[in-house]
Amino acid sequence: MSLLASRFLTPRRLLMASVVVALITITLKTLAWVITDSVGLLSDAMESLVNLASAVFGLVMVTIAARPADEDHPYGHHKAEYFSSGFEGILIIVAALGIIWTATHRLIDPQPIQQVGWGLALSVASSVLNGLLAWVMFGAARQHRSIALEADAKHLVTDVWTSAGVVIGIAMVHFTGWLWLDPVVAMAVAANILKEGVHLMWRSSQGLMDEAVEPDVMATIQATLAGFASQDGEAAIIRFDHLSTRKAGQRRFLDMHMHMPASWSLGRAAAVRASVEQALMSAVPGLRATIQLLPSDVEAHFDDERDLI
């Protein structure tokens, strides 16, 4: 994604677009269900309702996450995006259970499907809209490191696969006359979106529990620090230890110790630390590094059980 496109396709604008697309797809899929009386298409329409609710909630959370740090939230509001992802996961699970409930009743009492051609055409049209938006959102999610965008894009892709399964199922019902296929397809769709809902809730919980940065980001940090580490024979002049990372929405945080000779002046030590901080933030966009200076012969210890008393 180009820099110009990245600046225009912000998480907020894309989630606003998601709300509009959700409204359009709800209309199309509801019409498809009304004219066909297919429980499969009903399940598809229910998932679009979840799309709308999650897009609205995601828009609110992204707006909150964009707020600057303040006195009460000195590290910013970036974790608000994880609430969006978790809420979307809950909605997906509720929708899946509702689909299973409805499909079970239709399996017991099968009903014929009407006007299959129009119903499938409306479902396919809505899937094309969702697919195009999801493709754009995935690119923007990687660029902005937004879990809210990623969650919404994954939900849209799930919706596309749901619609594809429903279309195939209804077409089979039409050509074979096997009415039981309609609720069975709906149940298969529900199982798929249930899995996606559980995955989103898991990712959200990991973010709220201060999960470490991604392995590739950690590798970049280590490579950057290696460029500053130096030795005189076997004695280390500059070394780094006690690296601790976490991620919060679009931001990444790093705490660590930098050891250097005690004979260095404070000004020289501070200048080297500033160079390290600048290099880290250039290598990892959105990183906030906190570096504590220590003499080479001083070690700090963490996670002492006595600290919890």
Side-chain angles (χ1 to χ4, degrees):
M1 180 179 293
S2 67
L3 181 60
L4 181 61
S6 175
R7 290 179 177 176
F8 178 76
L9 298 175
T10 62
R12 179 179 171 81
R13 285 175 176 167
L14 284 173
L15 285 170
M16 289 175 68
S18 184
V19 171
V20 174
V21 169
L23 289 171
I24 295 173
T25 56
I26 287 172
T27 302
L28 294 175
K29 292 181 179 181
T30 301
L31 285 173
W33 164 59
V34 169
I35 65 177
T36 61
D37 194 30
S38 164
V39 71
L41 286 173
L42 172 61
S43 69
D44 212 8
M46 288 179 65
E47 189 176 357
S48 291
L49 283 172
V50 176
N51 284 349
L52 176 61
S54 59
V56 170
F57 190 79
L59 180 59
V60 173
M61 290 299 101
V62 165
T63 301
I64 293 174
R67 293 177 181 174
D70 53 36
E71 185 175 348
D72 294 327
H73 305 88
Y75 287 95
H77 302 77
H78 310 287
K79 285 192 176 183
E81 289 199 27
Y82 294 113
F83 289 101
S84 171
S85 178
F87 179 73
E88 187 161 349
I90 292 173
L91 287 180
I92 290 175
I93 292 172
V94 171
L97 295 177
I99 292 169
I100 292 173
W101 175 265
T102 305
T104 301
H105 284 279
R106 182 58 64 89
L107 187 61
I108 296 172
D109 182 23
Q111 299 292 329
I113 301 176
Q114 309 295 328
Q115 301 186 57
V116 174
W118 277 108
L120 296 186
L122 292 171
S123 181
V124 169
S126 64
S127 295
V128 170
L129 284 175
N130 282 334
L132 289 174
L133 180 59
W135 178 68
V136 174
M137 291 179 79
F138 271 125
R142 288 190 295 270
Q143 191 73 23
H144 295 284
R145 301 182 303 283
S146 171
I147 190 174
L149 272 187
E150 181 184 345
D152 205 53
K154 285 186 175 180
H155 194 178
L156 290 174
V157 169
T158 301
D159 192 287
V160 171
W161 284 113
T162 297
S163 298
V166 169
V167 167
I168 293 171
I170 292 177
M172 291 177 65
V173 171
H174 178 69
F175 289 112
T176 65
W178 297 342
L179 299 181
W180 55 267
L181 270 177
D182 185 29
V184 167
V185 167
M187 289 181 177
V189 165
N192 181 50
I193 65 177
L194 184 63
K195 177 183 176 182
E196 184 64 30
V198 171
H199 177 69
L200 283 177
M201 288 189 65
W202 170 255
R203 285 208 59 195
S204 176
S205 68
Q206 293 305 294
L208 291 172
M209 291 193 296
D210 286 337
E211 186 179 23
V213 299
E214 301 84 350
D216 60 323
V217 174
M218 190 63 193
T220 300
I221 291 173
Q222 295 280 16
T224 302
L225 295 179
F228 287 90
S230 58
Q231 289 185 282
D232 183 9
E234 295 185 1
I237 298 176
I238 298 177
R239 62 185 175 90
F240 306 94
D241 60 18
H242 291 101
L243 272 69
S244 178
T245 66
R246 66 183 179 90
K247 55 185 178 181
Q250 301 178 37
R251 295 298 300 271
R252 302 292 182 268
F253 296 89
L254 167 66
D255 294 287
M256 66 177 186
H257 292 162
M258 182 169 73
H259 297 263
M260 55 186 60
S263 60
W264 283 13
S265 68
L266 179 60
R268 182 180 180 183
V272 174
R273 179 176 64 180
S275 298
V276 173
E277 289 174 341
Q278 186 60 51
L280 286 169
M281 290 185 287
S282 297
V284 182
L287 177 70
R288 176 173 175 175
T290 301
I291 304 175
Q292 181 178 351
L293 297 177
L294 291 173
S296 300
D297 58 347
V298 174
E299 298 292 339
H301 302 279
F302 290 100
D303 300 324
D304 192 326
E305 293 182 358
R306 292 173 297 179
D307 292 340
L308 302 177
I309 300 176

Short mmCIF file of all heavy atoms in Angstrom, two decimals, residues 23 110 139 170 174 198 237:
data_model
loop_
_atom_site.label_atom_id
_atom_site.label_comp_id
_atom_site.label_asym_id
_atom_site.label_seq_id
_atom_site.Cartn_x
_atom_site.Cartn_y
_atom_site.Cartn_z
N LEU A 23 -24.74 -2.06 6.06
CA LEU A 23 -26.13 -1.68 5.85
C LEU A 23 -26.64 -2.15 4.48
O LEU A 23 -27.77 -2.63 4.35
CB LEU A 23 -26.29 -0.16 5.96
CG LEU A 23 -26.14 0.43 7.38
CD1 LEU A 23 -26.08 1.96 7.31
CD2 LEU A 23 -27.30 -0.02 8.26
N PRO A 110 -38.58 -29.35 7.53
CA PRO A 110 -38.05 -28.77 6.28
C PRO A 110 -39.12 -28.00 5.51
O PRO A 110 -40.30 -28.36 5.52
CB PRO A 110 -37.60 -30.00 5.49
CG PRO A 110 -37.46 -31.08 6.50
CD PRO A 110 -38.49 -30.81 7.54
N GLY A 139 -4.86 -4.84 3.95
CA GLY A 139 -3.67 -4.06 3.64
C GLY A 139 -3.49 -2.90 4.61
O GLY A 139 -2.38 -2.64 5.09
N ILE A 170 -27.77 -23.95 -1.30
CA ILE A 170 -29.10 -23.68 -1.87
C ILE A 170 -29.18 -24.18 -3.31
O ILE A 170 -30.23 -24.70 -3.74
CB ILE A 170 -29.40 -22.17 -1.78
CG1 ILE A 170 -29.56 -21.77 -0.31
CG2 ILE A 170 -30.67 -21.83 -2.56
CD1 ILE A 170 -29.78 -20.30 -0.10
N HIS A 174 -31.85 -26.88 -4.71
CA HIS A 174 -32.69 -26.62 -5.89
C HIS A 174 -32.61 -27.75 -6.90
O HIS A 174 -33.63 -28.16 -7.48
CB HIS A 174 -32.24 -25.31 -6.53
CG HIS A 174 -32.99 -24.96 -7.78
ND1 HIS A 174 -34.32 -24.60 -7.79
CD2 HIS A 174 -32.58 -24.92 -9.09
CE1 HIS A 174 -34.71 -24.36 -9.02
NE2 HIS A 174 -33.67 -24.54 -9.84
N VAL A 198 -14.24 -17.39 18.49
CA VAL A 198 -13.37 -17.83 19.58
C VAL A 198 -11.94 -17.33 19.36
O VAL A 198 -11.26 -16.87 20.29
CB VAL A 198 -13.39 -19.36 19.71
CG1 VAL A 198 -12.33 -19.83 20.69
CG2 VAL A 198 -14.78 -19.84 20.15
N ILE A 237 31.95 -3.09 26.60
CA ILE A 237 31.90 -1.65 26.84
C ILE A 237 30.45 -1.20 26.93
O ILE A 237 30.06 -0.48 27.85
CB ILE A 237 32.63 -0.89 25.71
CG1 ILE A 237 34.11 -1.30 25.68
CG2 ILE A 237 32.50 0.61 25.91
CD1 ILE A 237 34.88 -0.67 24.54
#
